[in-house]
Amino acid sequence: MAPRYRALHALLRLLPYHGAPPQCRSLSAQAAPAVRMEYQDAIRTLNTLQTNASFLDQVRRQRNDPQEQLVAMKGFLERSGLRVEDLNQLNIIHVTGTKGKGSTCAFTEQILRNCGLKTGFYSSPHLVQVRERIRINGQPISKELFSKYFWQVYNRLEETKSDDMCSMPAYFRFLTIMAFHVFLQEKVDLAVLEVGIGGAYDCTNIIRKPIVCGIASLGIDHTAILGDTIEKIAWQKGGIFKPGVPAFTVPQPASPLEVLKHRAQEIGCPLHMCPDLAEYEEDGIKLHLGLAGDHQRSNASLALQLAQTWLQHQGCQGFGDIKNPSQKIPKAKWPLPPASVFQPSVPMVQGLQHTVWLGRTQVVQRGPISYYIDGAHTNSSVKACVRWFQEVAFNEEKAGGGSVMRVLVFNATGERDTAALLKLLQPCHFDYAVFCPNISEMSGVGIADQRNYNVTLENVLTRCLQNQKTWNLLMEERSCSDPWNSSLPVDTLIKDSPRGTPLLLASSSERLLNCNSLVFPCISHALQWATQGRDPDFPCRDISLLHHHPVASSASVLLQEAAHVQILITGSLHLVGGALKLLDQSLTE
């Protein structure tokens, strides 16, 4: 057996079975449970929709006609008891983008909640519990409400199925339909709706009359679905435009901005460009944002325009006083008509300041350990993450004094170019890079909300080994191109220890900087090793049992002796969710 496969099989032996749920093949043909339907029952049933065979067959049939996806969504919605016209009552704010759409939605929802409105907020993915996707007044709906509405929708779809149609929508479609039911039944004043993927054919785009639409920063992501150029992606994102419905975007590269402009003209949508956040600020007093990072300023500006437009359309109080249009760029030179600049109202200012959005530029301090948590997973978002991390980590290092060790904890999913993402992370000068799958714990006690049945365990572990190899090669290239670097060549050997624990790829360099890497089978083991038991709130097993590679043991001494350990967790929102589940037990309650 090849060394890489021996390492993979050794990792597989350490983990519990994570295959498809046993009821997955037959559940769609069974009646819904007649006994008390608990939250976990609902989650387990929801998870079966990740691998619904009839849905996969339907997707294959629809692949050449994506418009059929919205037709199918309309059918599911009607079978659940709603008409498309019913969704107009939700007074929707619809937001898409490649980077920042979630943060924009969070800013917008907080602003409008501060204005005394009852808000609904639908977003994806969730970090710890699926209830996070459907929020009322900023809080995930309760387990009781989730169970209630889940079974209402599920049972209606079961009762209306037929042999000539897919009996159940897939996971995301189901949750979207369920969110519509929750918001209508709970009588929210408005719903902030984050697009899942793309826009034109995303199932959230079944809506017909939103109040206002927004497009955050564009970039390359989900190319298999949206297209392999930023122009094709812009066309998809512009699909949320509606005739006569105002829309706003942030500064974009010229070519995708031109696509958005033409798309808006074709549809009959008035599209405006958001000003820089500085133009809302007076007398040199900056607006304080609850989310860190300079990249959040464009998201905040977009949120201000979305909230202002919604409040004006509905005739509500709380919107800002209109000022003169932007003077920094002559109006004739704006690529799009500029949005009106206004002085934010008190609820708006406080909304921006109090916005919380877990897993995005989040810092958790625990004694000598600092966790920097950001779910960046595209080139543009990783660049923003690096800028943020370098600034806050440097400031902390300068203020604290003493030796500092930096550890990267990384994973990426799907079709993403991990080599490109890892190369962007190099300037952070990590002492160690750690790779692990998005599995919280080896024991298998992780909550059902975080199970993913669309990928196999072997696939995710193989991906970790590939990421590690990529990182080592990047480090080797970096050392070879640096005439001041006296590192030795990088070993790429994989061996098994006598106890069966994989001895994974690690640099043989005598220098510690940017050349050592390890793979762990779960997030818990990765963080236990990185923290060396020094986080007072994070339980840690015997460190010597976590990994048997010489790099792991030699690094343990340095990590234990460092005045401060800085750990950046990034590359995947699912990785971030698994880490937060371990670091903050309140998120699982």
Side-chain angles (χ1 to χ4, degrees):
M1 184 181 293
R4 179 170 296 277
Y5 290 102
R6 290 203 303 271
L8 176 60
H9 283 285
L11 280 170
L12 286 168
R13 289 197 300 270
L14 294 174
L15 286 161
Y17 177 68
H18 276 69
Q23 69 270 41
C24 184
R25 293 184 295 275
S26 58
L27 186 58
S28 61
Q30 297 175 356
V35 297
R36 186 182 178 202
M37 296 169 180
E38 298 288 350
Y39 174 72
Q40 289 301 322
D41 296 327
I43 298 302
R44 281 189 285 268
T45 305
L46 173 65
N47 283 345
T48 68
L49 303 182
Q50 294 184 39
T51 52
N52 189 293
S54 56
F55 169 73
L56 294 177
D57 289 340
Q58 181 184 354
V59 168
R60 295 185 187 97
R61 293 194 301 270
Q62 296 172 355
R63 187 167 292 165
N64 296 324
D65 188 2
Q67 186 62 36
E68 281 296 314
Q69 297 176 31
L70 291 179
V71 174
M73 181 66 179
K74 181 174 181 289
F76 287 125
L77 184 73
E78 291 174 348
R79 283 174 52 204
S80 78
L82 292 178
R83 301 170 302 160
V84 172
E85 294 75 18
D86 296 331
L87 307 183
N88 298 340
Q89 303 171 38
L90 292 177
N91 302 315
I92 289 170
I93 297 173
H94 203 194
V95 182
T96 190
T98 306
K99 180 186 71 174
K101 64 182 186 292
S103 299
T104 297
C105 288
F107 279 129
T108 306
E109 187 275 337
Q110 180 71 64
I111 289 171
L112 294 173
R113 180 156 38 100
N114 272 25
C115 293
L117 296 161
K118 184 175 182 179
T119 62
F121 181 8
Y122 179 62
S123 65
S124 61
H126 62 277
L127 295 179
V128 180
Q129 296 194 65
V130 71
R131 298 184 294 116
E132 299 165 22
R133 296 182 183 228
I134 305 174
R135 297 170 180 258
I136 294 178
N137 286 335
Q139 296 300 313
I141 60 172
S142 67
K143 292 181 179 180
E144 291 75 20
L145 275 184
F146 187 96
S147 298
K148 170 185 173 182
Y149 288 112
F150 175 88
W151 291 114
Q152 281 185 5
V153 174
Y154 189 89
N155 289 342
R156 286 172 184 164
L157 290 168
E158 275 288 310
E159 292 163 359
T160 57
K161 69 182 181 182
S162 62
D163 294 337
D164 62 344
M165 65 176 65
C166 182
S167 62
M168 283 289 166
Y171 189 92
F172 185 75
R173 289 186 185 181
F174 185 97
L175 287 171
T176 304
I177 294 170
M178 180 177 158
F180 291 146
H181 278 273
V182 171
F183 297 151
L184 285 167
Q185 290 297 313
E186 296 299 313
K187 296 180 170 53
V188 299
D189 295 316
L190 68 126
V192 179
L193 211 63
E194 179 189 356
V195 167
I197 295 177
Y201 306 118
D202 185 78
C203 65
T204 63
N205 205 34
I206 193 173
I207 64 171
R208 289 292 168 263
K209 293 184 178 180
I211 303 300
V212 61
C213 298
I215 297 186
S217 297
L218 298 180
I220 301 294
D221 198 16
H222 299 295
T223 54
I225 299 173
L226 304 180
D228 56 2
T229 68
I230 197 169
E231 292 79 15
K232 292 177 182 178
I233 290 171
W235 188 93
Q236 293 280 355
K237 305 289 185 182
I240 71 168
F241 294 152
K242 301 293 184 295
V245 175
F248 298 87
T249 190
V250 299
Q252 310 278 8
S255 56
L257 187 62
E258 193 66 21
V259 173
L260 291 179
K261 182 178 178 179
H262 288 159
R263 197 90 157 98
Q265 291 171 345
E266 292 171 355
I267 294 173
C269 163
L271 177 62
H272 296 83
M273 176 71 73
C274 293
D276 188 274
L277 193 64
E279 298 196 38
Y280 303 89
E281 301 167 336
E282 290 190 336
D283 303 323
I285 301 175
K286 282 196 169 187
L287 291 169
H288 295 287
L289 305 183
L291 305 182
D294 287 342
H295 58 288
Q296 295 293 356
R297 291 178 63 81
S298 64
N299 298 331
S301 177
L302 177 55
L304 285 171
Q305 292 294 333
L306 296 174
Q308 173 88 338
T309 302
W310 192 95
L311 290 165
Q312 288 179 322
H313 183 276
Q314 299 299 100
C316 297
Q317 296 181 343
F319 54 85
D321 296 327
I322 302 296
K323 302 194 297 185
N324 293 326
S326 172
Q327 300 298 320
K328 292 187 177 180
I329 303 176
K331 190 172 182 179
K333 293 187 179 181
W334 279 76
L336 290 173
S340 297
V341 179
F342 55 88
Q343 183 176 356
S345 64
V346 172
M348 289 178 167
V349 172
Q350 293 177 344
L352 293 177
Q353 184 175 357
H354 296 154
T355 298
V356 175
W357 196 225
L358 294 181
R360 287 80 171 177
T361 58
Q362 180 182 357
V363 181
V364 176
Q365 298 279 169
R366 299 281 182 74
I369 309 296
S370 292
Y371 302 94
Y372 299 90
I373 303 171
D374 190 70
H377 52 273
T378 67
N379 285 8
S380 55
S381 61
V382 169
K383 288 178 184 177
C385 172
V386 167
R387 290 193 296 270
W388 163 73
F389 174 75
Q390 286 182 314
E391 179 181 356
V392 293
F394 174 75
N395 290 338
E396 179 189 60
E397 186 174 347
K398 184 171 61 174
S403 63
V404 174
M405 298 292 290
R406 288 186 176 179
V407 179
L408 170 67
V409 178
F410 180 90
N411 192 38
T413 60
E415 62 195 29
R416 294 180 176 88
D417 183 355
T418 52
L421 301 183
L422 290 171
K423 189 169 185 177
L424 292 171
L425 288 162
Q426 283 185 306
C428 294
H429 299 294
F430 295 104
D431 297 291
Y432 296 95
V434 171
F435 303 93
C436 62
N438 301 331
I439 298 169
S440 291
E441 299 175 82
M442 281 174 48
S443 62
V445 297
I447 58 177
D449 305 60
Q450 294 185 320
R451 295 294 176 88
N452 183 355
Y453 298 115
N454 289 328
V455 293
T456 67
L457 185 56
E458 183 171 351
N459 286 343
V460 297
L461 291 174
T462 299
R463 184 73 174 267
C464 291
L465 292 167
Q466 292 170 342
N467 291 343
Q468 185 197 34
K469 181 179 180 180
T470 298
W471 178 264
N472 284 349
L473 291 173
L474 288 170
M475 293 303 101
E476 183 178 19
E477 292 173 3
R478 184 185 180 102
S479 65
C480 290
S481 63
D482 182 358
W484 300 102
N485 193 324
S486 60
S487 299
L488 298 174
V490 175
D491 285 333
T492 54
L493 297 175
I494 304 176
K495 299 179 181 178
D496 288 346
S497 73
R499 299 182 59 179
T501 303
L503 301 187
L504 300 169
L505 294 173
S507 168
S508 63
S509 168
E510 292 181 349
R511 290 186 57 189
L512 294 174
L513 185 61
N514 278 340
C515 56
N516 293 295
S517 62
L518 297 166
V519 170
F520 287 90
C522 65
I523 301 169
S524 178
H525 280 196
L527 293 184
Q528 287 178 42
W529 176 82
T531 58
Q532 294 290 308
R534 301 179 67 191
D535 179 345
D537 297 322
F538 185 54
C540 187
R541 57 180 284 183
D542 187 346
I543 301 297
S544 64
L545 298 178
L546 292 175
H547 214 299
H548 297 278
H549 195 280
V551 166
S553 57
S554 62
S556 293
V557 177
L558 295 169
L559 291 168
Q560 290 166 8
E561 294 179 348
H564 212 96
V565 179
Q566 299 174 332
I567 302 172
L568 175 63
I569 305 171
T570 194
S572 164
L573 280 168
H574 301 288
L575 175 71
V576 161
L580 286 173
K581 182 252 180 185
L582 297 168
L583 298 175
D584 187 352
Q585 293 300 312
S586 68
L587 296 176
T588 64
E589 296 174 355

